[in-house]
């Protein structure tokens, strides 16, 4: 089965629709030892086909619109953060303490972009302040697995470099391998809110769908950014004490509004939002939101017919089920960094492809759930994990044929517009189908500046 066929099957798609997809193959796009281009194309393709299918159903079209994939647009979007300019300024994406470090027996990679993760790292190493030299010296005296355990215990993030063979022998890898690429389950037997028919152009499959966005960083926000492109009313809600990195929020904030709510003090406001939501997307570590009554089962009990989409780094199972994680760390643990590196130094994928790919696949799963609800009703839950996407990349996808068109400068897949944040240059969405939208109707705004209510 092709990678697109696998992705489409994973979200429950009918294989009869696969011939509706065509591809412009560009040589050099997302070049890597692993088949990153094929993974990216499959995830975006499943999302675009799911959007076209839902749009056709709601508009009463006789045929599902044709989907056109372009490796150039996909490759550009998978590094959207690198193309972002805010008034001509290029953001800095990784903090000084977020990188590979030598240890006494190998390598670790740390993630310290957020202040609380940085504090955990420093505490575990006994380093009193943010001093890269002191951090490097402390790490060089310890084994990589000792560092991994100590930093996680202190609330920080560090992962030891593993080869594919070493990861395959890990209990978490075995737990991940037992799960499907996209987990799906029914939450209730209630009928979902009926979405009205569509008319006019562009065709917006998710028009009128209210999406409560409880995600952070890249994968989850990419999914909800895509749903916003397709017409959904997306409201991102963050805790006021956990502000997002400003440029990261800008890159993934297109089409959305952004509000803050304290889930304890502002509970009534949250319940009012939930009562009118069609979709809730969560991206916090497994179990982190359960204590607020935000498990899929608890959400569906209060809002029957809801679609709940959950995203995690390692999966909500196994010995690492409750751990935080990011794309860069999953690459290190699962053998990707070893496969893409050399004997002298670990490597990395040409994009945070686990984040972006899983994000588009998550959006595809939501769109397919909405399509299925039109015929069957029922609340649904879909779950994806970066580590499961990594397994698919390393073991489940074959490299495709070389392209006859080169991937060149991405200018044709970039947009520019004014916003409350300044003049923006940004990557356009690669989700493209006949009659569909070409850009977001709303520019990103200031984090937390919008009221916590539906538009």
């Amino acid at each position: 089965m092709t990678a697109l066929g696998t992705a489409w099957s994973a979200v429950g798609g009918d294989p009869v629709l696969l011939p509706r997809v065509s591809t412009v193959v560009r040589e050099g796009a997302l070049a890597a030892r692993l088949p990153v281009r094929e993974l990216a194309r499959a995830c975006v393709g499943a999302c675009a086909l799911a959007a076209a299918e839902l749009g056709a159903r709601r508009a009463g079209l006789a045929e599902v619109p044709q989907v056109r994939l372009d490796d150039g647009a996909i490759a550009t979007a998978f590094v959207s953060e690198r193309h972002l300019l805010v008034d001509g300024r290029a953001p800095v994406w990784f903090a000084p303490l977020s990188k590979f470090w030598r240890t006494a027996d190998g390598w670790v990679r740390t993630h310290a972009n957020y202040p609380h993760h940085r504090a955990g790292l420093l505490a575990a190493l006994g380093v009193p302040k943010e001093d890269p030299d002191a951090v490097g010296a402390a790490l060089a005296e310890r084994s990589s697995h000792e560092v991994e355990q100590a930093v996680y215990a202190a609330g920080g993030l560090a992962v030891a470099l593993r080869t594919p063979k070493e990861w395959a022998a890990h209990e978490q890898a075995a737990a991940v391998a037992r799960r499907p690429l996209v987990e799906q389950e029914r939450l209730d037997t209630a009928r979902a809110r009926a979405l009205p028919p569509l008319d006019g152009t562009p065709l917006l499959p998710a028009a009128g769908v209210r999406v409560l966005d409880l995600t952070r960083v890249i994968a989850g926000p990419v999914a909800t950014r895509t749903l916003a492109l397709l017409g959904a009313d997306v409201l991102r809600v963050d805790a006021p004490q956990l502000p997002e990195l400003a440029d990261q929020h800008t890159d993934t904030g297109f089409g959305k509004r952004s509000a803050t709510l304290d889930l304890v003090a502002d509970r009534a406001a949250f319940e009012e939002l939930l009562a009118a939501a069609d979709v809730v997307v969560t991206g916090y570590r497994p179990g982190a939101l359960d204590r607020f009554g935000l498990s899929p089962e608890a959400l569906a009990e209060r809002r029957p017919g809801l679609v709940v989409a959950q995203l995690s780094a390692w999966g909500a199972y196994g010995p690492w089920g409750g751990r935080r994680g990011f794309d860069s760390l999953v690459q290190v643990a699962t053998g990707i960094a070893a496969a893409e590196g050399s004997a002298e130094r670990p490597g990395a994928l040409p994009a945070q492809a686990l984040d972006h790919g899983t994000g588009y696949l998550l959006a595809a799963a939501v769109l397919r759930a909405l399509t299925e609800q039109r015929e069957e009703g029922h609340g649904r839950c879909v779950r994806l994990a970066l580590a499961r996407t990594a397994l698919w990349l390393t073991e489940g996808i074959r490299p495709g044929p070389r392209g006859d068109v080169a991937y060149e400068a991405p200018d044709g897949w970039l947009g520019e517009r004014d916003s409350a944040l300044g003049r923006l240059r940004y990557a356009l969405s690669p989700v493209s189908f006949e009659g569909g939208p070409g850009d977001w109707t709303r520019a990103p705004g200031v984090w937390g500046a919008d009221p916590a209510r539906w538009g």
Side-chain angles (χ1 to χ4, degrees), residues 176-408:
V176 168
R178 288 192 291 267
R179 303 294 176 128
L181 182 59
V182 179
E183 297 182 66
Q184 303 183 58
E185 66 174 297
R186 290 189 176 184
L187 292 175
D188 57 38
T189 59
R191 296 294 301 183
R193 181 174 70 93
L195 299 174
L198 295 177
D199 56 18
T201 55
L203 182 63
L204 298 174
V209 176
R210 292 185 288 262
V211 178
L212 196 53
D213 179 0
L214 307 179
T215 69
R216 294 171 66 81
V217 196
I218 296 177
V222 164
T224 53
R225 180 181 72 183
T226 302
L227 295 173
L229 172 83
L230 299 170
D233 180 6
V234 179
L235 178 64
R236 174 166 166 168
V237 175
D238 287 278
Q241 70 273 19
L242 290 175
E244 181 62 285
L245 303 176
D247 291 326
Q248 192 162 261
H249 185 265
T250 300
D251 178 53
T252 58
F254 284 86
K256 311 178 195 179
R257 290 174 296 115
S258 170
T260 59
L261 277 181
D262 185 311
L263 290 178
V264 176
D266 301 324
R267 189 64 189 209
F270 179 84
E271 293 300 322
E272 185 175 344
L273 290 173
L274 176 63
D278 301 296
V279 178
V280 174
V281 185
T282 68
Y284 291 76
R285 65 182 175 85
L289 298 178
D290 291 6
R291 67 183 185 276
F292 299 107
L294 301 183
S295 69
E297 295 76 16
L299 289 168
E301 184 176 346
R302 304 200 302 282
R303 176 66 171 94
L306 189 69
V307 174
V308 180
Q310 291 189 310
L311 173 78
S312 64
W314 309 104
Y317 39 76
W320 286 13
R323 286 195 176 191
R324 300 176 179 87
F326 295 95
D327 180 306
S328 59
L329 301 181
V330 176
Q331 288 189 40
V332 172
T334 60
I336 291 174
E340 291 290 335
S342 65
E344 291 74 32
R345 185 174 179 82
L349 299 177
Q352 295 187 69
L354 305 180
D355 262 337
H356 286 270
T358 307
Y360 287 109
L361 201 57
L362 185 68
V366 169
L367 294 165
R368 289 246 58 259
L370 293 171
T371 296
E372 291 175 355
Q373 281 187 332
R374 292 178 57 80
E375 300 176 359
E376 304 172 12
H378 310 304
R380 286 166 165 77
C381 179
V382 297
R383 295 186 179 91
L384 289 88
L386 301 186
R388 184 60 183 83
T389 304
L391 176 64
W392 183 38
L393 173 64
T394 55
E395 298 186 10
I397 302 178
R398 293 182 179 179
R402 295 174 61 91
D404 55 6
V405 181
Y407 174 54
E408 299 176 346

